[in-house]
């Protein structure tokens, strides 16, 4: 049994990861400041003797009273509206917070995995994106707190590995969706499903010609665990290469929801990447990992989840 710290463990991906790690028989310490996460996501784990929740902001140092074997560092808001809400806090989570977690890993001789992102590629000029592409990121725009924050986090990981021999893993996560996404998260999957289920207008930003590639959360969690338990210390893309224009994706969700929603076209946010699709050859070769859930199947499960949640869930 390993003792595993999951920061951001009450969030969307983090709560699924906690479930998987507890199920494997590990002792899981979930650290979260509940900014975008929610105790509802982990209620079912709170009485489990293999699970512990600590409300804590990783911007402040964290001291563990148990020997930590592995750290998954997911603590950072992921939706543009949330990471832009307090951009300086987002930068702090990705700098001070990451330094705190790397310091903890160094002290405990723990292996640490960073939840990096496809956003390190910015508005990519290489398509699909390979890990060797350095990206096209605006350091001075509304997304930079997140994009540059995640880039400096990768640099910190690299330097802690080089200077202090910390055992690092870096997952570059592409758009991930599934049950437990928060209803008011503001990201495309939850927005479109909630709008469709209420037969409201579905809000496509711009002309909807920008593309994204969508990975179901169980696949992503399997990829994170495989990466953590591999000997791969270079960045690895994790995502599902099934690529859609946002307009086609809106039509698909309306159809799968059986909705009568109309599509409306709103202003495209500044610096919204034009296209995004992972090249997952590295994950396939080094981790023998492949996404198994098709977008149609994953959306059906996600729509079913959103049908069950009450209006009180945010
Ligand atoms: P989320 O917003 O649901 O989860 C983030 C969690 O971190 C929340 O529970 C939040 O309360 C917590 N948190 C935020 N700042 C914190 C801090 N300073 N200290 C402690 N806890 C803090 O988002 P998610 O989709 O689950 O994303 C999880 C991680 O994966 C993030 O690091 C995100 O950048 C990364 N990621 C996600 C996606 C995606 O499509 N979901 C894509 C790329 C990368
Ligand atoms: N988007 C949209 N309507 C929405 C929410 C998002 O058209 O209601 C678009 C957004 O402009 C972007 C894509 O969907 O092009 C994915 O947005 P999201 O916020 O989910 O994540 P991103 O990949 O941009 O970080």
């Amino acid at each position: 049994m390993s003792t595993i710290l999951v920061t951001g463990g009450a969030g969307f991906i983090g709560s699924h990861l906690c479930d998987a790690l507890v199920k494997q028989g590990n002792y899981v310490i979930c650290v979260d400041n509940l900014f975008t996460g929610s105790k509802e996501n982990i209620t079912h784990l709170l009485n489990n003797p293999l699970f512990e929740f600590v409300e804590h902001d990783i911007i402040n140092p964290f001291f563990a009273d148990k020997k930590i074997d592995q750290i998954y560092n997911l603590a950072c808001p992921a939706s543009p509206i949330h990471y832009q809400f307090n951009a300086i806090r987002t930068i702090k989570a990705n700098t001070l917070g990451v330094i705190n977690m790397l310091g903890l890993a160094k002290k405990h001789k723990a292996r640490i995995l960073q939840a990096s992102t496809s956003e390190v590629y910015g508005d990519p000029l290489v398509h699909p994106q390979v890990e060797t592409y350095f990206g096209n990121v605006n350091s001075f725009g509304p997304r930079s707190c997140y994009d540059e924050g995640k880039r400096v986090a990768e640099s910190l990981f690299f330097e802690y590995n080089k200077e202090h021999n910390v055992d690092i893993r870096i997952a570059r996560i592409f758009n991930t969706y599934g049950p437990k996404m928060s209803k008011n998260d503001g990201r495309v999957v939850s927005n479109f499903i909630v709008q469709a289920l209420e037969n409201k207008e579905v809000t496509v930003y711009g002309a909807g010609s920008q593309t994204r590639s969508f990975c179901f959360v169980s696949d992503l969690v399997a990829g994170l665990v495989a990466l953590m338990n591999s000997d791969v210390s270079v960045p690895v893309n994790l995502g599902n290469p099934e690529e859609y224009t946002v307009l086609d994706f809106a039509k698909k969700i309306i159809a799968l929801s059986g909705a009568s929603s109309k599509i409306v076209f709103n202003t495209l946010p500044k610096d919204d990447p034009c296209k995004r699709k992972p090249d997952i050859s590295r994950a396939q070769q080094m981790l023998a990992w492949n996404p198994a859930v098709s977008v149609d199947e994953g959306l059906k499960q996600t729509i079913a989840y959103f049908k069950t949640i009450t209006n009180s869930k945010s």
Side-chain angles (χ1 to χ4, degrees), residues 46-313:
L46 291 175
N47 290 326
N48 191 316
L50 290 178
F51 185 79
E52 181 183 339
F53 172 71
V54 184
E55 187 169 341
H56 176 83
D57 192 317
I58 63 155
I59 288 171
N60 304 310
F62 179 77
F63 300 98
D65 48 15
K66 290 188 176 61
K67 159 84 176 73
I68 308 286
D69 301 307
Q70 295 183 341
I71 303 171
Y72 288 85
N73 186 41
L74 274 63
C76 176
S79 162
I81 56 167
H82 289 137
Y83 68 62
Q84 290 167 16
F85 174 73
N86 188 334
I88 293 169
R89 278 192 83 85
T90 301
I91 296 172
K92 284 184 180 171
N94 285 312
T95 50
L96 301 176
V98 166
I99 289 170
N100 285 332
M101 290 307 113
L102 283 163
L104 189 71
K106 182 182 165 200
K107 188 168 157 192
H108 285 253
K109 295 192 178 4
R111 183 176 289 177
I112 180 166
L113 181 148
Q114 168 67 357
S116 188
T117 169
S118 52
E119 294 279 326
V120 299
Y121 303 121
D123 191 3
L125 305 175
V126 167
H127 194 72
Q129 290 78 57
V130 278
E131 289 89 345
T132 47
Y133 176 49
F134 291 164
N136 176 36
V137 177
N138 181 2
S139 65
F140 201 72
R143 294 175 87 99
S144 69
C145 60
Y146 185 76
D147 299 10
E148 294 290 15
K150 291 286 187 175
R151 285 170 70 93
V152 79
E154 288 198 9
S155 305
L156 285 165
F157 265 62
F158 178 79
E159 295 301 343
Y160 267 75
N161 172 255
K162 200 174 81 177
E163 286 183 33
H164 301 299
N165 214 19
V166 171
D167 192 11
I168 60 162
R169 303 288 180 267
I170 296 172
R172 290 189 180 152
I173 302 170
F174 283 65
N175 294 64
T176 300
Y177 69 99
K180 293 195 195 172
M181 284 191 101
S182 113
K183 194 177 166 179
N184 303 324
D185 182 86
R187 280 180 281 185
V188 68
V189 179
S190 44
N191 272 11
F192 285 2
I193 293 179
V194 170
Q195 290 162 344
L197 290 179
E198 292 175 357
N199 283 313
K200 289 190 175 150
E201 290 176 337
V202 168
T203 54
V204 166
Y205 299 161
S209 56
Q210 69 274 33
T211 69
R212 292 294 185 275
S213 306
F214 297 97
C215 186
F216 192 61
V217 65
S218 58
D219 282 334
L220 195 265
V221 166
L224 292 176
V225 173
L227 176 60
M228 175 64 103
N229 295 298
S230 74
D231 57 4
V232 180
S233 56
V234 289
V236 178
N237 288 340
L238 293 177
N240 185 333
E242 260 195 83
E243 183 185 15
Y244 293 89
T245 66
V246 166
L247 181 57
D248 284 344
F249 196 62
K251 290 177 183 163
K252 179 181 270 301
I253 287 180
I254 292 170
L256 288 172
S257 308
S260 56
S261 297
K262 288 196 170 54
I263 291 174
V264 292
F265 295 91
N266 291 352
T267 311
L268 184 70
K270 186 174 181 313
D271 290 345
D272 199 286
C274 293
K275 48 187 182 249
R276 186 182 292 152
K277 172 182 175 169
D279 179 315
I280 57 166
S281 318
R282 190 176 275 182
Q284 289 169 324
Q285 284 157 20
M286 294 183 161
L287 309 176
W289 175 83
N290 260 304
V293 182
S294 68
V295 169
D296 272 35
E297 174 53 32
L299 282 178
K300 279 181 200 155
Q301 289 189 37
T302 311
I303 290 166
Y305 164 77
F306 275 106
K307 278 184 182 163
T308 64
I309 59 171
T310 64
N311 290 334
S312 64
K313 179 150 167 61

